[in-house]
Amino acid sequence: MTTTDSAQTPAKAPAKDPWDLPDVSGYVVGVLGGTGPQGKGLAYRLARAGQKVIIGSRAAERARAAAEELGHGVEGADNAETARRSDIVIVAVPWDGHGDTLKALREELAGKLVVDCVNPLGFDKKGAYAIRPEEGSAAEQAAALLPDSRVTAAFHHLSAVLLQDPEVEQIDTDVMVLGEERADVETVQALAGRIPGMRGIFAGRLRNAHQVESLVANLISVNRRYKAHAGLRITDV
């Protein structure tokens, strides 16, 4: 190669630092199902970390009562208003209402970054077990029902008990984040990192969401045997 050829060859850009995450502190976060244990706990932790949070419910009055209980500037509204007013919307509704809730909010969620944390589970005398939705996972169902939204999946493995306990200063766990677009995944990773003790870890595309959602059944078994509130840590990252 001549000197001229070498000079014309563009230098390869350095790899992006995977921990170089965006500032998400200015985003409004809405939590659908924010009066349930998981949604309420996430709302509390994010608001306590300084995030602006709105919790949604089918009944606005119930959402406002829960918001007043949480404090930290949390507001309550019905699900539609919560979706409209939020930049990032966490879906924390019960699995049996997941599809119907999202169908009803398709217009309000258009253009939004949606974070699905729903775990399709069944329970019988042997304990919890995973359900595989027709679409493959709850997150993939959300993506199918919300074609105009940017759907990710995260916050599946968190203990609602720890999230809601004001005496717990930090929650030592990793949050597996899945999605199709790097920018969206990194935004959710950064949001998870706002909560002391947590890290957001990229865990693949939405097609891999089923096994992440299903792992909650195993954690329920762990918690029952050891009387714990188990979470996950990813090693060597």
Side-chain angles (χ1 to χ4, degrees):
M1 180 180 291
T2 67
T3 303
T4 303
D5 291 336
S6 178
Q8 292 176 346
T9 302
K12 187 176 181 180
K16 184 180 183 297
D17 181 352
W19 296 111
D20 180 14
L21 301 173
D23 178 9
V24 297
S25 59
Y27 288 127
V28 177
V29 177
V31 184
L32 305 181
T35 59
Q38 193 80 355
K40 195 173 182 181
L42 276 169
Y44 171 68
R45 287 290 159 178
L46 289 169
R48 181 168 159 169
Q51 206 76 35
K52 175 59 185 175
V53 177
I54 306 170
I55 59 174
S57 173
R58 286 176 296 179
E61 283 302 320
R62 186 168 61 177
R64 285 192 280 268
E68 184 175 348
E69 179 185 339
L70 291 176
H72 297 282
V74 176
E75 293 184 45
D78 63 33
N79 283 332
E81 182 181 344
T82 298
R84 281 193 298 268
R85 293 178 55 196
S86 301
D87 304 301
I88 303 171
V89 180
I90 297 173
V91 181
V93 299
W95 166 240
D96 58 6
H98 183 262
D100 289 342
T101 298
L102 296 184
K103 284 177 189 175
L105 297 172
R106 176 173 171 173
E107 182 178 338
E108 289 83 0
L109 291 171
K112 308 286 184 177
L113 175 53
V114 174
V115 187
D116 200 295
C117 69
V118 175
N119 303 303
L121 298 176
F123 295 86
D124 60 20
K125 63 183 180 180
K126 294 182 180 181
Y129 61 92
I131 297 171
R132 190 177 190 103
E134 182 180 346
E135 298 84 355
S137 64
E140 288 170 293
Q141 183 183 87
L145 293 173
L146 303 172
D148 300 318
S149 303
R150 292 137 46 218
V151 176
T152 60
F155 300 116
H156 301 91
H157 306 134
L158 306 181
S159 163
V161 173
L162 294 182
L163 288 172
Q164 294 185 76
D165 188 345
E167 299 301 316
V168 175
E169 294 295 328
Q170 64 177 44
I171 300 177
D172 295 317
T173 192
D174 288 330
V175 173
M176 300 177 77
V177 185
L178 303 97
E180 300 302 317
E181 299 295 333
R182 174 175 289 191
D184 294 337
V185 170
E186 290 182 347
T187 295
V188 180
Q189 286 180 261
L191 187 66
R194 296 272 287 160
I195 300 174
M198 287 191 194
R199 299 186 305 173
I201 304 287
F202 170 66
R205 294 179 179 268
L206 288 186
R207 69 180 183 178
N208 293 319
H210 171 66
Q211 54 263 39
V212 174
E213 297 169 0
S214 300
L215 189 57
V216 174
N218 302 90
L219 290 177
I220 289 172
S221 296
V222 169
N223 290 335
R224 286 180 174 173
R225 173 63 62 90
Y226 298 101
K227 295 180 172 54
H229 303 294
L232 294 179
R233 273 296 189 203
I234 308 299
T235 63
D236 200 33
V237 174

